[in-house]
Amino acid sequence: MADSGKNGTPLLDELEKGPWPSFVTEIKSMAKTNKACQDLLGQLEKSYRDKRGYWKHGGIVGVMGYGGGVIGRYSFLAKEFPNVAHFHTLRINQPMGWFYTSESLRILCDIWERRGSGLTNMHGSTGDIVFLGTVTDELEPIFKELTDNDFDLGGSGSDLRTPSCCVGPARCEWACYDTLHLTQELTMHFQDELHRPAFPYKFKIKSAGCPNDCVASIARSDMSIIGTWRDDIRIDQAEVKAAADGGMNIERDICGNCPTKCMEWDGSQLTIDNSNCVKCMHCINAMPKALRPGTDTGATILLGSKAPIVEGALLSSVLVPFFKLEPPYDDLKDLLERIWEFWGEHGKARERTGELMQRVGLGNFLEAIEVEPIPEMIAHPRENPYVFYEDYYEEGDEEDEDEDE
């Protein structure tokens, strides 16, 4: 491993110590047969030693017809480490719910070992399969092999990022809608927005089947689609009693932890004031045999979360408190297109939808996308007493005023 430097990689070696798996170990494993990984170790060691990064994002690089899916990366130290002079990343659209066959995984790994570094990230924070490190000349051959095997590139740049979802009804009994089918439908319907960047900045959609939100959509996506229900929580009183007889303190551990205190336990019956339930799922998670979501299911649509890049971090805010999600999801598609139209016209460069909402004001934003304001959008009552009303005149009002004068 001479390319790693005359003195080896003592700083990287530190990252292999301790009980946790290390990416350094994986790179070293690939470096036994892959020269790019050998030079990658050398450049990383130098970065740690010099306390500076040596990667540069080198303009636009990609495959014919696509503006996204490939993240160009070049080394500032191409002469010293020629095998990582190019080290481009590809994002591959993952299967819905991250379900794979062994055969499909072998196909992906074989393509990448032949044409790239062999290093993968399963999965990136967006959800994609991430192929780390290849050269420009290999991009088109990789793309052809992927499409020949029914894989496609995911999103990158100022476009719709690859939609992702939890496993939903495939494995989870709490799923309130079919996250897999919805995500597949959105991915296929918005192909142009996914592959050809035309937005002010990126837009992420994550679908969670229930309020447990196992994909953390409320913090990591511009549009969060979180499963919920609008009828009563189903209660099996016999199972509640069995849980109490088994040692569970219903009053303390269930009723006491309810954020709205909408539950009561009299020693034999559990009652829930469902009008005050906020669907936190605590009681259902704690007593899964006794409590279940209602049967009138759908999703809450939220908008605006992001990480702290341009502005500070944001959590998604409620846009539509209950949305009945049924194929072909035309109402949801129409809502997305109205949001994108307003954002595309008024958004600044690198401004996410949550930042746009803050800048123009929620009222103006809702009016532009034709969504009625609702109480669920408000975190707390306003802090000043001044309310301003727009003047609306019925036809003929102005004439009547002129006569009065």
Side-chain angles (χ1 to χ4, degrees):
M1 207 175 295
D3 288 327
S4 297
K6 295 180 179 179
N7 299 315
T9 56
L11 296 178
L12 292 179
D13 294 346
E14 290 294 315
L15 298 178
E16 295 185 274
K17 298 178 181 178
W20 310 113
S22 171
F23 73 94
V24 174
T25 303
E26 302 305 318
I27 299 175
K28 286 182 177 180
S29 176
M30 289 304 302
K32 295 174 183 177
T33 57
N34 189 289
K35 291 183 178 180
C37 291
Q38 294 173 13
D39 277 9
L40 177 62
L41 288 169
Q43 180 165 315
L44 280 174
E45 180 70 20
K46 184 175 177 63
S47 288
Y48 278 49
R49 185 172 63 248
D50 298 346
K51 296 183 174 60
R52 58 168 295 182
Y54 290 108
W55 295 113
K56 57 183 175 180
H57 197 330
I60 300 299
V61 61
V63 301
M64 186 69 69
Y66 281 26
V70 180
I71 303 167
R73 189 152 289 124
Y74 298 90
S75 172
F76 280 112
L77 305 175
K79 291 184 178 179
E80 187 174 352
F81 302 106
N83 295 304
V84 290
H86 301 185
F87 204 73
H88 308 315
T89 291
L90 286 89
R91 288 181 177 160
I92 317 302
N93 198 326
Q94 80 282 354
M96 304 307 103
W98 302 291
F99 285 104
Y100 298 91
T101 63
S102 298
E103 180 185 3
S104 64
L105 287 172
R106 288 192 178 96
I107 288 170
L108 290 169
C109 292
D110 288 345
I111 292 171
W112 196 232
E113 285 188 6
R114 284 197 311 272
R115 299 194 177 278
S117 69
L119 300 175
T120 64
N121 181 348
M122 304 288 280
H123 294 81
S125 59
T126 297
D128 296 289
I129 308 159
V130 177
F131 283 178
L132 292 161
T134 193
V135 298
T136 304
D137 290 344
E138 291 287 2
L139 293 177
E140 290 290 350
I142 292 168
F143 180 59
K144 184 180 186 306
E145 288 199 48
L146 287 170
T147 54
D148 286 347
N149 288 282
D150 299 324
F151 282 93
D152 197 0
L153 297 187
S156 70
S158 297
D159 64 3
L160 171 63
R161 296 299 178 84
T162 314
S164 66
C165 62
C166 68
V167 296
R171 291 191 64 187
C172 179
E173 61 185 318
W174 306 140
C176 294
Y177 70 96
D178 192 336
T179 57
L180 306 168
H181 189 271
L182 173 65
T183 303
Q184 174 75 4
E185 179 67 22
L186 294 178
T187 301
M188 300 306 292
H189 183 80
F190 291 116
Q191 285 290 291
D192 200 54
E193 289 76 11
L194 182 64
H195 293 308
R196 297 169 184 89
F199 293 163
Y201 202 21
K202 56 190 170 186
F203 191 95
K204 298 181 179 181
I205 302 172
K206 295 189 188 299
S207 300
C210 78
N212 280 325
D213 194 12
C214 292
V215 287
S217 67
I218 198 169
R220 301 170 58 240
S221 61
D222 298 272
M223 177 172 279
S224 313
I225 306 173
I226 301 179
T228 188
W229 62 94
R230 56 182 173 184
D231 54 346
D232 294 349
I233 294 176
R234 289 175 282 172
I235 307 174
D236 185 331
Q237 296 291 352
E239 288 291 349
V240 177
K241 188 68 166 58
D245 293 343
M248 177 175 284
N249 188 324
I250 305 293
E251 184 65 37
R252 182 193 67 197
D253 298 334
I254 305 301
C255 301
N257 285 323
C258 175
T260 59
K261 301 296 183 283
C262 71
M263 309 181 75
E264 291 186 2
W265 168 247
D266 64 4
S268 60
Q269 291 278 317
L270 180 70
T271 58
I272 302 175
D273 177 9
N274 281 276
S275 64
N276 281 314
C277 173
V278 292
K279 316 295 195 298
C280 74
M281 292 286 288
H282 166 73
C283 61
I284 296 175
N285 293 331
M287 294 195 298
K289 291 184 178 180
L291 302 173
R292 299 183 66 82
T295 57
D296 186 7
T297 57
T300 299
I301 310 297
L302 303 97
L303 198 69
S305 70
K306 58 177 285 292
I309 299 177
V310 178
E311 298 289 342
L314 296 172
L315 294 179
S316 289
S317 302
V318 172
L319 189 67
V320 182
F322 188 85
F323 211 101
K324 200 71 175 176
L325 289 171
E326 297 174 342
Y329 314 107
D330 288 337
D331 290 344
L332 180 59
K333 293 172 185 174
D334 184 58
L335 175 62
L336 276 165
E337 288 172 351
R338 296 199 305 270
I339 292 169
W340 291 340
E341 183 179 359
F342 180 72
W343 181 41
E345 184 175 352
H346 298 283
K348 298 179 180 180
R350 295 178 65 81
E351 182 176 51
R352 301 283 284 272
T353 50
E355 294 162 333
L356 174 65
M357 282 196 297
Q358 286 191 329
R359 180 167 61 83
V360 304
L362 182 60
N364 292 327
F365 184 83
L366 294 174
E367 185 176 357
I369 65 171
E370 302 173 20
V371 171
E372 291 293 323
I374 50 172
E376 287 87 347
M377 295 175 177
I378 308 303
H380 58 83
R382 63 185 302 137
E383 295 174 346
N384 66 62
Y386 300 106
V387 180
F388 300 94
Y389 297 94
E390 294 183 21
D391 291 327
Y392 293 98
Y393 295 96
E394 296 293 336
E395 188 175 350
D397 284 354
E398 293 183 7
E399 295 178 1
D400 293 341
E401 287 182 6
D402 290 340
E403 290 175 4
D404 293 339
E405 291 176 359

